C-alpha cells in the first residue's frame, strides 16, 4: 500500500530566498519554478503542506554565528509568495498544544528558532495528527535545515523523498556531504517531475 503524501517545505523565506535577503542562499531563486509546481500540485490534490519557518528574537544567540535573519515581524521572516498558501495556520514555539483541526488547513507553518523544526513542541503532535505519510521534502539550505528536518523525520521512521531539484545548499561541498548523510539515513532522492506526475 502506498502511503498518502505530505509536503515539507523548509524555510522558503525572503531572507534566505531573495538576493537582498539577510542570509541569502546562493542561487536559491533558481528553484522557484519547482516550488511553484510543487505547491500547485499540493493544492490541486489536497496534499497537506507543512512549512518550517525560522522565527528569531532580535538578540537570538544564533546571531553570533550567522548574520541576523528571519527576525519575527520583519519582511525577511515572511515566506516568499510562491510558497504562501491562503488560509495557512501558524504554530509558534509558544502555541498551545496542537489539536488536529476538523478541517485541515492547506498549509501549517511551524516556527522554530534553531535548525530543526522538531524543536517546536508541537512537531510530533502535528505528525501524529497527519497519520502515516510519505514526506516530500524541499527548500533551503540543504546542509542545514533541510538535512536537520530529513534526519528528524527518518528518526521517527517517516519515509522521506527529497526533491533534489528543489533544494539549494550554501556551499556545494557541504551540500554534497549532506546528501550522502541523508541517503545513509534512508531518504530517497526524487525530482519535481517524479512527484508531480
Amino acid at each position: 500500500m502506498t502511503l498518502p503524501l505530505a509536503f515539507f517545505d523548509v524555510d522558503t523565506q525572503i531572507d534566505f530566498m531573495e538576493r537582498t535577503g539577510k542570509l541569502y542562499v546562493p542561487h536559491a531563486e533558481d528553484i522557484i519554478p519547482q516550488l511553484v509546481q510543487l505547491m500547485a500540485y499540493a493544492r490541486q490534490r489536497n496534499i497537506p503542506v507543512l512549512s518550517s519557518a525560522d522565527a528569531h528574537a532580535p538578540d537570538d544567540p544564533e546571531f553570533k554565528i550567522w548574520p541576523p535573519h528571519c527576525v519575527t515581524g520583519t519582511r525577511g521572516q515572511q515566506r516568499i509568495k510562491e510558497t504562501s498558501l491562503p488560509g495557512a495556520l501558524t504554530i509558534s514555539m509558544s502555541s498551545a498544544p496542537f489539536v488536529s483541526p476538523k478541517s485541515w488547513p492547506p498549509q501549517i507553518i511551524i516556527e522554530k528558532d534553531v535548525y530543526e523544526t522538531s524543536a517546536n513542541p508541537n512537531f510530533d503532535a502535528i505528525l501524529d495528527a497527519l497519520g502515516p505519510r510519505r514526506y516530500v521534502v524541499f527548500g533551503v539550505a540543504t546542509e542545514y535545515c533541510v538535512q536537520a528536518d530529513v534526519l528528524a523525520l527518518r528518526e521517527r521512521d517517516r519515509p522521506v523523498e527529497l526533491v533534489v531539484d528543489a533544494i539549494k545548499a550554501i556551499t556545494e561541498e557541504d551540500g554534497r556531504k549532506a546528501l550522502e548523510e541523508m541517503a545513509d539515513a534512508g531518504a530517497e532522492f526524487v525530482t519535481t517531475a517524479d512527484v508531480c506526475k
Side-chain angles (χ1 to χ4, degrees), residues 64-81:
K64 291 187 175 74
I65 307 164
W66 299 104
H69 61 278
C70 295
V71 172
T72 302
T74 62
R75 177 180 176 272
Q77 200 255 336
Q78 295 168 15
R79 312 197 79 64
I80 57 170
K81 66 180 189 305

Side-chain angles (χ1 to χ4, degrees), residues 89-101 108-111 120-126:
L89 170 66
T90 299
I91 308 288
S92 75
M93 292 291 283
S94 58
S95 288
F98 181 78
V99 178
S100 185
I108 292 184
I109 298 168
I110 309 171
E111 293 188 339
N120 185 301
N122 280 302
F123 181 76
D124 287 302
I126 293 167

Side-chain angles (χ1 to χ4, degrees), residues 129-152:
L130 277 171
R133 299 262 175 177
R134 257 183 319 139
Y135 284 84
V136 174
V137 180
F138 49 90
V140 292
T142 307
E143 69 270 49
Y144 289 100
C145 298
V146 170
Q147 180 177 13
D149 287 336
V150 165
L151 296 181

